[in-house]
Amino acid sequence: MSQGHKDDWRIQNPFQNVKDEVPNTPVNAQLLVQVFYCSGFDPAFEKVYCIFSLEKQQARSQTINKKEGKDPRAEWSSEGFSFDVTQSRALLTLTIWGKQTEDSVASIGSLCIPIYQLNKDEKIDKEYTLRSAQDYKKKTKAIIKLGIRYL
């Protein structure tokens, strides 16, 4: 593989360099994730849902109708997910999808959170700016608020 291809791959996978430096040690932990809301997305999307993944586990949120207003917003009422964490280099990934019609689905943005950046028993309640699914270096205007607990 040429050097150019390797660099292109690292741009598409922004955590590759970090994962090379962090030892991949076995862990036995739980990650609890709660999604509160997503806002700032294209108002053309009528419905919004999230797909979370960690290692080989995946979960999908309910599809939520957007709330009308100056800033489109989708709110979930206490929807949470639990993941088993077995490796220190695991990544929690989240992609927000929007529907304009039943047959038209597009990515609003994505987010990756390396597990090694979380502290045991820490509770995080935070807004994250989503990145473009097409170019992870670009931020979108959309934000998501998550609650995360690493046990």
Side-chain angles (χ1 to χ4, degrees):
M1 182 187 310
S2 74
Q3 184 64 31
H5 292 291
K6 186 175 181 183
D7 291 340
D8 292 345
W9 187 83
R10 287 189 176 177
I11 289 169
Q12 292 174 358
N13 186 350
F15 294 103
Q16 179 59 32
N17 292 335
V18 173
K19 286 176 77 174
D20 289 342
E21 296 169 10
V22 175
N24 193 21
T25 56
V27 294
N28 184 14
Q30 284 284 124
L31 185 69
L32 307 176
V33 181
Q34 184 174 4
V35 58
F36 295 106
Y37 63 81
C38 180
S39 64
F41 53 87
D42 185 338
F45 293 118
E46 295 296 322
K47 298 179 179 189
V48 177
Y49 64 94
C50 310
I51 295 181
F52 295 89
S53 62
L54 181 82
E55 297 176 341
K56 294 181 181 181
Q57 304 158 83
Q58 194 172 49
R60 181 179 184 227
S61 74
Q62 295 176 2
T63 301
I64 303 296
N65 291 322
K66 76 172 180 190
K67 293 189 173 196
E68 296 297 332
K70 186 177 180 180
D71 183 25
R73 184 179 178 105
E75 295 182 6
W76 288 264
S77 57
S78 303
E79 187 163 9
F81 306 95
S82 175
F83 297 96
D84 295 322
V85 182
T86 61
Q87 298 294 320
S88 60
R89 292 192 323 186
L91 291 173
L92 173 66
T93 60
L94 157 71
T95 303
I96 305 292
W97 295 91
K99 290 184 171 187
Q100 293 176 335
T101 66
E102 283 303 312
D103 297 330
S104 174
V105 178
S107 172
I108 292 172
S110 60
L111 173 69
C112 291
I113 301 172
I115 297 302
Y116 76 88
Q117 290 182 345
L118 304 175
N119 296 318
K120 280 283 212 173
D121 297 321
E122 178 181 24
K123 185 176 181 180
I124 300 168
D125 205 12
K126 182 179 174 182
E127 286 184 342
Y128 294 90
T129 301
L130 299 176
R131 300 285 183 154
S132 166
Q134 291 75 32
D135 181 357
Y136 198 80
K137 287 185 173 185
K138 292 184 180 178
K139 290 184 178 181
T140 68
K141 292 180 182 179
I143 59 170
I144 188 158
K145 183 168 183 187
L146 299 175
I148 300 173
R149 182 105 193 244
Y150 184 46
L151 304 170

